[in-house]
Amino acid sequence: MDKEKTSFFKKSLLALSAGVLLFSFTSCQNKPKEMDKSEQKVRLITLDPGHFHAALLQKSMYEEIDSVVHVYAPDGSELENHMKLVDSYNTRSESPTSWKHEIYKGPDYLEKMFSEKAGNVVIISGNNKSKSSYISRSIDSGLNVLADKPLAIDQEGFKSLEKAFAVSKDKKVLLYDIMTERFNIYYILQRALSQDTAFFGQLEKGTPDNPAVMQESVHHFYKNVSGKPLVRPAWFFDVEQEGRGLVDITTHMVDLIQWTSFPDVTLDYKTDVKMISAKEWPTSLSLEQFQRSTQKDVFPDYLTKYVKNGTLNVMSNGEMNYTLKNVHARVGIKWNYEAPEGTGDTHYAKMRGTKANILIKQGKEQNYKPVVYLEILKSASEKELQSAIARLQSKFPGVSVIKTGNLWELAIPDKYKVPHEEHFAEVVKNYLGYLKTGELPAWEIPNMLAKYYTTTQAAEKAKSK
């Protein structure tokens, strides 16, 4: 081979090699970075845990979640109570958890959290006055958020939430609230039967005096959680920090009305929700009751404006009447100090169809345990009821009905009756699935906005009176 051909061959070989290298480099650049196992884990950050729901999220372990949880909070009793509850899960005799904690406590806890970014999911469950800011800053920082209800307690908070959802879309992170009641078997069965049009017919439109959908609940300030008396923070009794009664527990009830009445339907709060009326009234607590609930000796200064003749008046009770897609709905909440012996929080729910009604009662007749009742109207028959139960059994084997006076009672096997505290693990598993796919169902964000628009509008209407 002469020199000219040799030179040409060398140049061609060099060019080919360079091309292969360039192609390999470009391919590596375009290929998504493979995450190592530690990066694939969900790493939790617990921010300022002032409510026991933050601890309940750690009552179970999850394969997808790193066992090390980073906690950022001001020093004080709220952090201590949170850690005691989580530690009780670590040290229990049956199925103990194995959480480890890296705790930073101090006045600059918030700035420290955002500077370190030790995790990728922030748990927010505490003082609701701070919640809007916590959520917004976490989303702005590119962190996913799983937050306890309510995500907003007033109209300003609602506007902040709306903006946070818009930013979360740009940042490609997920903001979600903890709706445990969707995993309650009684509401699951109510939802399923209300969608069986052969039995239930169509959802009635109702009227303000006779709504088509109702949710009522009675809760208690003093109660047991995980077998021990719950110590509430003093700010829980301040509506400016906790929120008025119409924006707290009502979040669950408004959510259930949306979830059962319009499954997987995208709601638009601007056109689908119309607040008709709302009212509120206080629960009165003695200093002794306050001390027992909070372990505080005196009412703090910020509560004195609610104190009259030595009695603390908490604006915790309320009722709202509204329409959702032209269906009349009513939500009522009542707070007592303590439940009678052997009882607890109670719920009542009703859905009225053109052929049947579905009720959930939890009063003295039911031994304070939830019971689902079916009421057949004149336009329906027992045969249609039995056919509906047969269809229900394909998904929930063992469910049956028993005639009780003019009503039919659903007999539900115990295996479906999961205690309330266990629903938190189901919420977490659901959220982990959304994190894996990188998105929420299309209807979830619009419906969260519709939910918080409803509650904050009710509070505003009641307060204006």
Side-chain angles (χ1 to χ4, degrees):
M1 186 179 293
D2 58 32
K3 289 183 180 181
E4 187 177 336
K5 287 183 178 179
T6 302
S7 176
F8 174 77
F9 177 76
K10 287 180 178 179
K11 287 179 181 179
S12 299
L13 188 60
L14 286 170
L16 180 62
S17 300
V20 170
L21 287 171
L22 180 61
F23 175 78
S24 300
F25 176 76
T26 304
S27 298
C28 289
Q29 289 292 92
N30 291 335
K31 184 179 179 181
K33 179 186 174 184
E34 290 189 11
M35 297 172 66
D36 60 36
K37 288 185 179 179
S38 64
E39 288 178 311
Q40 289 174 345
K41 286 275 189 180
V42 170
R43 302 185 312 282
L44 297 181
I45 298 171
T46 301
L47 175 58
D48 191 9
H51 194 283
F52 68 95
H53 285 177
L56 285 178
L57 292 171
Q58 291 182 245
K59 196 174 180 182
S60 302
M61 298 296 294
Y62 312 89
E63 186 179 342
E64 302 92 332
I65 299 180
D66 194 294
S67 61
V68 177
V69 179
H70 292 262
V71 183
Y72 297 85
D75 196 5
S77 59
E78 291 178 26
L79 175 60
E80 290 175 10
N81 290 332
H82 170 75
M83 293 312 306
K84 284 179 183 176
L85 192 49
V86 176
D87 288 343
S88 73
Y89 304 144
N90 275 346
T91 56
R92 66 192 177 203
S93 57
E94 187 177 341
S95 302
T97 53
S98 54
W99 298 106
K100 307 175 193 69
H101 294 87
E102 296 287 339
I103 303 172
Y104 181 86
K105 52 187 177 182
D108 62 339
Y109 67 93
L110 197 57
E111 298 309 320
K112 190 73 172 177
M113 189 200 95
F114 289 117
S115 66
E116 291 187 347
K117 277 193 179 180
N120 48 26
V121 173
V122 183
I123 303 298
I124 301 175
S125 179
N127 191 312
N128 293 323
K129 187 176 181 180
S130 308
K131 195 172 286 180
S132 291
S133 173
Y134 286 171
I135 290 172
S136 295
R137 290 195 61 179
S138 298
I139 296 296
D140 288 344
S141 298
L143 295 168
N144 298 284
V145 174
L146 180 60
D148 191 27
K149 58 81 194 152
L151 303 192
I153 62 173
D154 51 32
Q155 291 185 322
E156 183 180 349
F158 174 76
K159 291 175 184 175
S160 175
L161 179 63
E162 193 167 28
K163 182 180 178 182
F165 275 121
V167 175
S168 71
K169 184 177 180 180
D170 293 336
K171 296 281 186 177
K172 293 182 172 56
V173 293
L174 301 186
L175 166 58
Y176 200 52
D177 61 355
I178 301 169
M179 290 291 101
T180 49
E181 293 307 304
R182 293 185 191 177
F183 298 92
N184 182 320
I185 186 59
Y186 309 101
Y187 293 112
I188 290 172
L189 294 176
Q190 185 187 49
R191 184 184 196 236
L193 285 168
S194 70
Q195 294 305 302
D196 191 329
T197 55
F199 160 70
F200 183 72
Q202 301 298 320
L203 183 64
E204 290 276 15
K205 296 297 183 184
T207 66
D209 294 331
N210 187 21
V213 189
M214 290 181 64
Q215 284 277 341
E216 295 176 353
S217 185
V218 178
H219 281 252
H220 302 88
F221 288 114
Y222 187 80
K223 65 199 304 185
N224 287 325
V225 173
S226 295
K228 297 179 181 178
L230 172 65
V231 178
R232 293 194 186 273
W235 56 256
F236 187 83
F237 300 87
D238 179 9
V239 295
E240 292 183 6
Q241 299 184 67
E242 168 61 17
R244 313 178 87 81
L246 283 170
V247 299
D248 186 14
I249 299 297
T250 55
T251 306
H252 281 302
M253 293 187 275
V254 172
D255 183 76
L256 285 171
I257 286 175
Q258 295 179 176
W259 186 73
T260 55
S261 303
F262 301 100
D264 304 339
V265 173
T266 298
L267 302 171
D268 183 348
Y269 76 84
K270 294 177 182 177
T271 57
D272 291 334
V273 180
K274 291 181 174 58
M275 188 59 54
I276 299 171
S277 65
K279 61 182 179 180
E280 60 183 359
W281 62 97
T283 297
S284 297
L285 303 175
S286 67
L287 177 59
E288 182 184 0
Q289 289 173 324
F290 177 80
Q291 291 170 334
R292 187 174 173 223
S293 184
T294 64
Q295 296 185 359
K296 303 290 183 185
D297 294 330
V298 297
F299 296 125
D301 291 342
Y302 56 78
L303 287 180
T304 55
K305 59 186 174 184
Y306 309 118
V307 178
K308 187 175 182 180
N309 298 325
T311 299
L312 176 65
N313 297 288
V314 187
M315 198 60 75
S316 53
N317 311 297
E319 179 184 287
M320 66 178 85
N321 291 277
Y322 65 101
T323 59
L324 179 65
K325 295 185 80 68
N326 297 317
V327 171
H328 284 269
R330 178 179 297 160
V331 167
I333 178 66
K334 184 178 180 182
W335 280 81
N336 295 326
Y337 175 66
E338 185 178 7
E341 185 69 29
T343 71
D345 297 344
T346 62
H347 300 268
Y348 171 82
K350 184 175 183 178
M351 294 184 75
R352 295 199 301 113
T354 54
K355 299 177 72 174
N357 297 330
I358 308 171
L359 303 92
I360 300 173
K361 295 184 178 183
Q362 193 180 357
K364 187 176 181 179
E365 283 183 43
Q366 294 77 35
N367 294 318
Y368 299 99
K369 303 294 183 185
V371 177
V372 181
Y373 294 104
L374 310 176
E375 181 182 13
I376 303 174
L377 303 181
K378 290 180 181 179
S379 56
S381 67
E382 183 180 332
K383 182 179 179 181
E384 288 173 325
L385 166 64
Q386 296 294 349
S387 296
I389 298 304
R391 289 188 288 272
L392 195 65
Q393 288 171 340
S394 65
K395 189 172 183 181
F396 300 98
V399 171
S400 60
V401 285
I402 305 166
K403 189 73 181 292
T404 308
N406 295 326
L407 302 175
W408 292 82
E409 178 184 329
L410 272 188
I412 306 170
D414 289 340
K415 64 180 179 180
Y416 298 123
K417 298 175 182 178
V418 179
H420 173 68
E421 290 185 14
E422 306 308 317
H423 294 324
F424 285 84
E426 295 174 289
V427 170
V428 173
K429 291 172 185 175
N430 222 33
Y431 185 63
L432 290 171
Y434 296 148
L435 288 174
K436 189 173 182 180
T437 61
E439 61 182 357
L440 299 172
W443 52 270
E444 277 282 23
I445 292 176
N447 291 16
M448 277 190 272
L449 288 171
K451 174 172 56 187
Y452 290 108
Y453 175 79
T454 302
T455 56
T456 55
Q457 281 288 306
E460 188 67 24
K461 201 170 193 71
K463 188 170 69 170
S464 67
K465 291 184 177 180

